[in-house]
Amino acid sequence: MEKKIQELNQTVSSADEDTALQSSELSTFQEMYQALSTNNVASITASHIQTVSTIIDRWPSAQVFPVIDLLRLVLASSPSAFKSVETKQGIVQALLKTVQKDTAWESPLEKSRETNLLLILRTIANMFQPAVGKVPASWTTDVMVSLQAIPAAVWTKAHLLALATLLLKSSNANQDQEKHLALIEMETLYRALIAFGNVLGKATAGWLRLTSAVAKKTTEKRTQDLVHEVQSLIL
Protein backbone atom coordinates (compact mmCIF):
# COMPACT_ATOMS: atom_id res chain seq x y z
CA MET A 1 0.00 0.00 0.00
CA GLU A 2 2.80 2.41 0.90
CA LYS A 3 4.57 1.68 -2.38
CA LYS A 4 1.37 2.17 -4.40
CA ILE A 5 0.57 5.47 -2.72
CA GLN A 6 4.11 6.71 -3.40
CA GLU A 7 3.81 5.66 -7.04
CA LEU A 8 0.44 7.35 -7.53
CA ASN A 9 1.63 10.43 -5.66
CA GLN A 10 4.23 10.89 -8.39
CA THR A 11 1.47 10.59 -11.01
CA VAL A 12 -0.63 13.18 -9.18
CA SER A 13 2.37 15.47 -8.75
CA SER A 14 3.23 15.40 -12.44
CA ALA A 15 -0.30 16.59 -13.25
CA ASP A 16 -0.63 19.14 -10.43
CA GLU A 17 2.15 19.60 -7.88
CA ASP A 18 -0.17 21.37 -5.44
CA THR A 19 -2.44 18.31 -5.28
CA ALA A 20 0.36 15.89 -4.37
CA LEU A 21 1.26 14.95 -0.79
CA GLN A 22 3.15 17.73 0.98
CA SER A 23 6.13 16.99 3.25
CA SER A 24 4.07 17.17 6.47
CA GLU A 25 1.44 14.89 4.94
CA LEU A 26 4.10 12.41 3.83
CA SER A 27 5.36 12.31 7.43
CA THR A 28 1.85 11.70 8.72
CA PHE A 29 1.35 8.86 6.26
CA GLN A 30 4.69 7.38 7.29
CA GLU A 31 3.59 7.42 10.92
CA MET A 32 0.46 5.47 9.99
CA TYR A 33 2.37 2.90 7.94
CA GLN A 34 4.67 2.38 10.91
CA ALA A 35 1.81 2.14 13.41
CA LEU A 36 -0.07 -0.42 11.31
CA SER A 37 2.98 -2.53 10.50
CA THR A 38 4.06 -2.70 14.17
CA ASN A 39 0.54 -2.95 15.58
CA ASN A 40 1.09 0.27 17.49
CA VAL A 41 -2.35 1.56 16.52
CA ALA A 42 -2.81 3.49 19.76
CA SER A 43 -0.50 6.13 18.30
CA ILE A 44 -2.99 6.90 15.51
CA THR A 45 -5.05 10.00 16.31
CA ALA A 46 -7.91 12.00 14.87
CA SER A 47 -5.28 14.24 13.27
CA HIS A 48 -3.95 11.31 11.22
CA ILE A 49 -7.46 10.44 10.06
CA GLN A 50 -8.15 14.06 9.18
CA THR A 51 -5.03 14.13 6.99
CA VAL A 52 -6.10 11.01 5.10
CA SER A 53 -9.61 12.41 4.68
CA THR A 54 -8.15 15.63 3.27
CA ILE A 55 -6.10 13.72 0.69
CA ILE A 56 -9.11 11.64 -0.34
CA ASP A 57 -11.03 14.88 -0.88
CA ARG A 58 -8.13 16.41 -2.85
CA TRP A 59 -6.85 13.59 -5.05
CA PRO A 60 -8.30 12.66 -8.46
CA SER A 61 -10.77 9.76 -8.32
CA ALA A 62 -8.65 7.57 -10.59
CA GLN A 63 -5.66 7.62 -8.23
CA VAL A 64 -7.23 7.73 -4.77
CA PHE A 65 -8.11 4.06 -4.17
CA PRO A 66 -5.05 3.07 -2.06
CA VAL A 67 -5.60 6.10 0.17
CA ILE A 68 -9.19 4.99 0.78
CA ASP A 69 -7.88 1.53 1.57
CA LEU A 70 -5.44 3.03 4.08
CA LEU A 71 -8.34 4.85 5.75
CA ARG A 72 -10.30 1.57 5.86
CA LEU A 73 -7.47 -0.11 7.78
CA VAL A 74 -6.94 2.85 10.10
CA LEU A 75 -10.63 3.03 11.01
CA ALA A 76 -10.75 -0.71 11.70
CA SER A 77 -7.62 -0.56 13.86
CA SER A 78 -8.15 2.72 15.73
CA PRO A 79 -11.86 3.30 16.41
CA SER A 80 -11.09 5.65 19.29
CA ALA A 81 -9.48 8.12 16.87
CA PHE A 82 -12.70 9.01 15.07
CA LYS A 83 -15.34 9.20 17.77
CA SER A 84 -16.47 12.74 16.99
CA VAL A 85 -19.43 13.18 14.67
CA GLU A 86 -17.57 15.97 12.88
CA THR A 87 -14.74 13.59 12.00
CA LYS A 88 -17.21 11.01 10.70
CA GLN A 89 -19.04 13.59 8.62
CA GLY A 90 -15.80 14.82 7.08
CA ILE A 91 -14.80 11.28 6.17
CA VAL A 92 -18.11 10.43 4.54
CA GLN A 93 -18.25 13.71 2.61
CA ALA A 94 -14.79 13.05 1.20
CA LEU A 95 -15.65 9.46 0.32
CA LEU A 96 -18.91 10.30 -1.41
CA LYS A 97 -17.19 13.05 -3.38
CA THR A 98 -14.66 10.47 -4.58
CA VAL A 99 -17.36 8.09 -5.79
CA GLN A 100 -18.95 11.00 -7.70
CA LYS A 101 -22.40 10.34 -6.25
CA ASP A 102 -23.96 13.22 -8.19
CA THR A 103 -22.61 12.00 -11.54
CA ALA A 104 -24.77 9.74 -13.72
CA TRP A 105 -24.38 6.03 -12.93
CA GLU A 106 -23.80 3.86 -15.98
CA SER A 107 -23.53 0.07 -15.91
CA PRO A 108 -20.95 -1.33 -15.99
CA LEU A 109 -19.01 1.19 -13.95
CA GLU A 110 -15.58 2.31 -15.08
CA LYS A 111 -12.95 0.37 -13.15
CA SER A 112 -11.73 3.19 -10.90
CA ARG A 113 -15.26 4.09 -9.87
CA GLU A 114 -16.15 0.45 -9.24
CA THR A 115 -13.06 -0.01 -7.05
CA ASN A 116 -13.66 3.23 -5.16
CA LEU A 117 -17.27 2.30 -4.42
CA LEU A 118 -16.25 -1.08 -3.03
CA LEU A 119 -13.57 0.42 -0.78
CA ILE A 120 -15.92 3.18 0.34
CA LEU A 121 -18.58 0.68 1.44
CA ARG A 122 -15.97 -1.30 3.38
CA THR A 123 -14.57 1.88 4.93
CA ILE A 124 -17.97 3.16 6.08
CA ALA A 125 -18.78 -0.27 7.49
CA ASN A 126 -15.67 0.02 9.67
CA MET A 127 -17.07 3.21 11.17
CA PHE A 128 -19.79 1.24 12.95
CA GLN A 129 -17.93 -0.33 15.86
CA PRO A 130 -18.87 -0.71 19.53
CA ALA A 131 -15.65 1.03 20.56
CA VAL A 132 -16.76 4.19 18.77
CA GLY A 133 -19.80 4.55 21.01
CA LYS A 134 -23.32 5.46 19.96
CA VAL A 135 -23.65 6.65 16.37
CA PRO A 136 -26.28 9.41 15.92
CA ALA A 137 -29.29 8.11 14.00
CA SER A 138 -29.34 11.27 11.87
CA TRP A 139 -25.80 10.60 10.68
CA THR A 140 -26.63 7.01 9.76
CA THR A 141 -29.70 8.22 7.89
CA ASP A 142 -27.59 10.65 5.85
CA VAL A 143 -25.26 7.81 4.88
CA MET A 144 -28.13 5.55 3.86
CA VAL A 145 -29.86 8.25 1.84
CA SER A 146 -26.64 8.84 -0.11
CA LEU A 147 -26.31 5.11 -0.83
CA GLN A 148 -29.95 4.94 -1.88
CA ALA A 149 -29.13 7.25 -4.81
CA ILE A 150 -26.94 4.53 -6.36
CA PRO A 151 -29.06 2.42 -8.76
CA ALA A 152 -29.26 -1.33 -8.22
CA ALA A 153 -27.98 -2.06 -11.74
CA VAL A 154 -24.42 -0.96 -10.94
CA TRP A 155 -23.91 -3.09 -7.83
CA THR A 156 -21.58 -6.05 -8.30
CA LYS A 157 -21.57 -9.12 -6.02
CA ALA A 158 -18.60 -7.67 -4.13
CA HIS A 159 -20.45 -4.36 -3.67
CA LEU A 160 -23.54 -6.17 -2.41
CA LEU A 161 -21.62 -8.18 0.15
CA ALA A 162 -19.93 -5.01 1.43
CA LEU A 163 -23.33 -3.28 1.50
CA ALA A 164 -24.88 -6.17 3.44
CA THR A 165 -22.06 -5.94 5.99
CA LEU A 166 -22.58 -2.19 6.29
CA LEU A 167 -26.34 -2.68 6.76
CA LEU A 168 -25.74 -5.31 9.43
CA LYS A 169 -23.30 -3.13 11.38
CA SER A 170 -25.36 0.06 11.05
CA SER A 171 -28.60 -1.62 12.10
CA ASN A 172 -26.86 -3.06 15.17
CA ALA A 173 -25.61 0.42 16.05
CA ASN A 174 -29.08 2.01 15.99
CA GLN A 175 -32.42 1.22 17.56
CA ASP A 176 -34.55 2.15 14.56
CA GLN A 177 -33.28 -0.66 12.34
CA GLU A 178 -36.28 -0.82 10.03
CA LYS A 179 -36.02 2.87 9.23
CA HIS A 180 -32.41 2.62 8.12
CA LEU A 181 -32.87 -0.58 6.15
CA ALA A 182 -35.90 0.90 4.38
CA LEU A 183 -33.78 3.75 3.06
CA ILE A 184 -31.98 1.35 0.73
CA GLU A 185 -33.88 0.56 -2.47
CA MET A 186 -35.60 -2.80 -1.99
CA GLU A 187 -34.10 -4.44 -5.08
CA THR A 188 -30.60 -3.57 -3.90
CA LEU A 189 -31.38 -4.79 -0.39
CA TYR A 190 -32.84 -8.02 -1.78
CA ARG A 191 -29.74 -8.69 -3.87
CA ALA A 192 -27.46 -7.74 -0.98
CA LEU A 193 -29.17 -10.23 1.31
CA ILE A 194 -28.81 -12.95 -1.33
CA ALA A 195 -25.09 -12.23 -1.61
CA PHE A 196 -24.68 -12.17 2.16
CA GLY A 197 -26.72 -15.38 2.52
CA ASN A 198 -24.61 -17.17 -0.08
CA VAL A 199 -21.41 -16.31 1.75
CA LEU A 200 -22.87 -17.30 5.12
CA GLY A 201 -24.19 -20.53 3.64
CA LYS A 202 -20.76 -21.51 2.34
CA ALA A 203 -19.12 -20.56 5.63
CA THR A 204 -21.71 -22.50 7.63
CA ALA A 205 -21.26 -25.62 5.52
CA GLY A 206 -17.49 -25.35 5.92
CA TRP A 207 -17.67 -25.02 9.69
CA LEU A 208 -20.07 -27.96 9.95
CA ARG A 209 -17.67 -30.15 7.95
CA LEU A 210 -14.73 -28.98 10.05
CA THR A 211 -16.39 -29.53 13.41
CA SER A 212 -17.70 -32.94 12.35
CA ALA A 213 -14.19 -33.96 11.29
CA VAL A 214 -12.77 -32.76 14.61
CA ALA A 215 -15.41 -34.69 16.54
CA LYS A 216 -14.42 -37.91 14.76
CA LYS A 217 -10.71 -37.46 15.49
CA THR A 218 -10.84 -36.86 19.24
CA THR A 219 -12.63 -38.20 22.28
CA GLU A 220 -11.41 -35.41 24.56
CA LYS A 221 -14.43 -34.10 26.45
CA ARG A 222 -13.59 -30.40 26.28
CA THR A 223 -13.13 -30.61 22.48
CA GLN A 224 -16.34 -32.58 22.05
CA ASP A 225 -18.20 -30.01 24.19
CA LEU A 226 -16.78 -27.18 22.12
CA VAL A 227 -17.79 -28.93 18.87
CA HIS A 228 -21.35 -29.27 20.14
CA GLU A 229 -21.41 -25.64 21.23
CA VAL A 230 -20.19 -24.38 17.84
CA GLN A 231 -22.67 -26.60 15.99
CA SER A 232 -25.53 -25.39 18.19
CA LEU A 233 -24.69 -21.82 17.25
CA ILE A 234 -24.72 -22.69 13.55
CA LEU A 235 -27.86 -24.82 13.64
Side-chain angles (χ1 to χ4, degrees):
M1 182 182 294
E2 178 182 1
K3 183 177 180 181
K4 192 65 179 178
I5 289 175
Q6 290 173 345
E7 174 189 322
L8 291 175
N9 186 49
Q10 292 177 353
T11 302
V12 171
S13 180
S14 63
D16 182 358
E17 189 172 341
D18 292 335
T19 304
L21 292 169
Q22 306 303 305
S23 58
S24 60
E25 293 167 338
L26 284 168
S27 297
T28 299
F29 272 54
Q30 193 61 50
E31 290 171 2
M32 287 184 287
Y33 301 145
Q34 180 69 14
L36 290 169
S37 64
T38 60
N39 201 30
N40 183 29
V41 293
S43 64
I44 297 177
T45 67
S47 177
H48 291 93
I49 291 175
Q50 179 58 47
T51 298
V52 181
S53 182
T54 298
I55 301 306
I56 290 172
D57 184 68
R58 194 168 80 213
W59 269 27
S61 296
Q63 280 81 41
V64 78
F65 68 91
V67 183
I68 300 175
D69 210 22
L70 174 61
L71 179 62
R72 176 186 65 82
L73 290 177
V74 169
L75 296 186
S77 304
S78 307
S80 61
F82 65 102
K83 284 189 174 183
S84 77
V85 176
E86 291 76 14
T87 301
K88 294 186 181 71
Q89 288 173 335
I91 292 170
V92 172
Q93 287 171 2
L95 292 173
L96 294 178
K97 176 183 176 182
T98 295
V99 83
Q100 302 164 295
K101 68 182 183 70
D102 296 324
T103 302
W105 294 89
E106 297 181 357
S107 183
L109 293 176
E110 59 180 285
K111 189 61 179 177
S112 62
R113 201 176 185 191
E114 177 185 324
T115 300
N116 287 346
L117 177 57
L118 178 60
L119 293 174
I120 284 168
L121 291 168
R122 291 174 175 173
T123 301
I124 295 176
N126 282 350
M127 297 174 75
F128 292 98
Q129 300 186 58
V132 178
K134 184 175 177 59
V135 178
S138 59
W139 181 83
T140 310
T141 299
D142 289 343
V143 172
M144 295 304 173
V145 168
S146 296
L147 294 177
Q148 184 186 17
I150 304 174
V154 306
W155 298 97
T156 65
K157 289 182 179 179
H159 290 141
L160 291 169
L161 180 57
L163 174 63
T165 304
L166 193 162
L167 289 172
L168 177 64
K169 288 187 174 183
S170 65
S171 64
N172 284 342
N174 293 275
Q175 296 299 316
D176 196 356
Q177 298 180 11
E178 290 78 10
K179 176 181 177 182
H180 296 128
L181 294 176
L183 288 169
I184 298 295
E185 192 216 347
M186 290 310 300
E187 174 63 17
T188 303
L189 179 56
Y190 175 76
R191 292 170 60 192
L193 291 174
I194 289 177
F196 201 45
N198 286 341
V199 171
L200 288 178
K202 291 179 180 178
T204 298
W207 276 106
L208 284 174
R209 287 194 299 271
L210 177 62
T211 53
S212 296
V214 169
K216 291 177 181 178
K217 288 187 175 183
T218 181
T219 58
E220 186 183 29
K221 185 179 185 303
R222 65 170 186 166
T223 304
Q224 291 284 348
D225 289 344
L226 183 57
V227 165
H228 294 150
E229 184 176 347
V230 171
Q231 290 185 341
S232 70
L233 291 172
I234 296 173
L235 301 174

